[in-house]
Amino acid sequence: MPELPEVETFRKYIEGTSLQQKIVGFDCADTRLLKKDREVFEEALIGQSFVDTQRIGKYLFLLTNGDDVLVMHFGMTGRPAYFRGLEERPKYAHIIYQFENDFFLGFQNKRKFGWNDLTRDISAYQQAAGLSEDARSLSYTHFLAAVQRRKTYIKPVLMDQSVAAGIGNWMADEILYQAQVHPEKKVEDLDERHLQAIFEAMKRVIETAIDKEANYSDFPSEFFIHIRKTGESCHHTEGHIEKLTVGGRSTYYSPEWQQL
DNA sequence: TCCTATGTTGTCAT
DNA sequence: AATGACAACATAGG
């Protein structure tokens, strides 16, 4: 689930539920999901409130009225869940932040690839994590420079968080399908026209997905996500969708539409 | 049993 | 030093 549009939707969800309430409790059922000791989380957050949010790529920052910022990364299967009463604790809500009046912000993470961390400096954190500017606000100039520095296939470059923070596997496939570029096209073999098409597709996919709150079924019918499966029919050709492994990730594409 | 899954990171070889 | 390929991480479901 969580690529840029999903995390942006999570951000808004948290903004709408969890700000300006005093944090009175913290629980973690599996400390492998914490990047710092439990005590450090308690010390930093109990008695504070979340007052603002910021997202860079797939990283979500929850600012408090203290000096500490909570960092959430959802991995492959995470999402936030706001609920009332401990007995309502959702499955896989391994980390929970308790507010007054018995409401909780839960960090659900079935596969436990996600985590929470703390920082006091978002910019330094962004740098240390090797994140580019968020893909949503990234300029074409910066995008081009970052891409052209690389020598490998376009798909892993697009998914590199230091190139365009927030692009993940389904978005990369969507972008390359819309831009009509083969995922194994070498970056150095792409002309300016294709790079521009990729950039424009990236922006369009991001804005559309955010507008639809990352509900794939609400995406326009021409979006690739609806046919991102072996054997489905391409919108543009007579051909069918095929699967490859590129950069170690499952990759779906239309061989006749996206030629090498 | 084996394979797959929307992510990141460490290791190893080049 | 930089880069890329690939396994590992943890878990559920087909």
Side-chain angles (χ1 to χ4, degrees):
Chain A
M1 259 201 192
E3 298 181 26
L4 189 157
E6 290 87 346
V7 179
E8 177 64 12
T9 304
F10 298 163
R11 188 188 68 75
K12 288 176 181 162
Y13 175 83
I14 289 173
E15 286 248 336
T17 57
S18 303
L19 299 191
Q20 309 298 347
Q21 300 188 72
K22 191 172 173 186
I23 302 163
V24 298
F26 167 78
D27 182 58
C28 178
D30 187 339
T31 52
R32 288 176 300 182
L33 301 196
L34 300 181
K35 293 246 187 185
K36 294 194 166 55
D37 290 341
R38 175 196 303 272
E39 297 74 32
V40 179
F41 275 82
E42 287 170 351
E43 179 66 28
L45 298 174
I46 305 258
Q48 305 292 328
S49 301
F50 298 124
V51 296
D52 199 5
T53 64
Q54 190 180 330
R55 182 189 55 72
I56 304 173
K58 305 167 193 174
Y59 290 65
L60 185 57
F61 299 90
L62 305 195
L63 287 70
T64 68
N65 47 5
D67 293 329
D68 294 284
V69 177
L70 177 61
V71 189
M72 289 184 169
H73 192 290
F74 296 92
M76 285 180 94
T77 55
R79 55 165 42 188
Y82 186 72
F83 62 97
R84 178 172 202 169
L86 209 46
E87 62 284 353
E88 299 292 319
R89 184 174 185 161
K91 207 171 178 188
Y92 312 118
H94 304 303
I95 303 171
I96 55 174
Y97 299 92
Q98 180 175 14
F99 303 114
E100 294 177 296
N101 304 324
D102 209 27
F103 278 90
F104 296 79
L105 175 63
F107 180 84
Q108 283 184 285
N109 215 254
K110 183 158 65 173
R111 235 171 114 190
K112 297 185 176 177
F113 282 179
W115 43 260
N116 287 11
D117 197 0
L118 292 164
T119 185
R120 292 191 164 198
D121 184 337
I122 294 175
S123 293
Y125 202 91
Q126 175 180 14
Q127 271 225 305
L131 299 178
S132 74
E133 186 180 341
D134 185 69
R136 192 182 187 187
S137 48
L138 188 64
S139 73
Y140 182 58
T141 310
H142 287 290
F143 173 77
L144 197 61
V147 168
Q148 290 185 326
R149 206 177 300 138
R150 308 293 300 279
K151 292 186 183 333
T152 187
Y153 303 141
I154 182 62
K155 174 159 179 182
V157 170
L158 264 185
M159 291 179 61
D160 188 324
Q161 301 303 294
S162 71
V163 171
I167 308 301
N169 203 26
W170 78 254
M171 289 183 82
D173 285 358
E174 182 73 52
I175 290 163
L176 292 173
Y177 180 77
Q178 292 197 19
Q180 206 181 344
V181 172
H182 191 292
E184 285 178 316
K185 189 86 174 172
K186 290 278 186 63
V187 165
E188 51 200 332
D189 296 333
L190 283 167
D191 57 38
E192 184 83 10
R193 192 173 61 81
H194 282 301
L195 289 167
Q196 206 170 325
I198 290 169
F199 181 76
E200 284 166 11
M202 177 177 84
K203 295 290 185 174
R204 184 168 61 242
V205 170
I206 290 170
E207 292 308 319
T208 304
I210 288 174
D211 183 55
K212 303 300 182 189
E213 298 180 322
N215 290 316
Y216 307 150
S217 55
D218 294 338
F219 290 4
S221 59
E222 68 271 19
F223 264 49
F224 184 61
I225 197 153
H226 303 301
I227 54 168
R228 189 173 174 271
K229 206 174 173 190
T230 305
E232 293 284 330
S233 299
C234 177
H235 299 310
H236 307 283
T237 68
E238 298 297 305
H240 292 147
I241 303 310
E242 288 183 15
K243 182 181 166 180
L244 285 176
T245 299
V246 182
R249 304 301 301 276
S250 291
T251 299
Y252 297 87
Y253 77 116
S254 173
E256 290 175 37
W257 176 245
Q258 299 158 272
Q259 293 188 15
L260 212 44

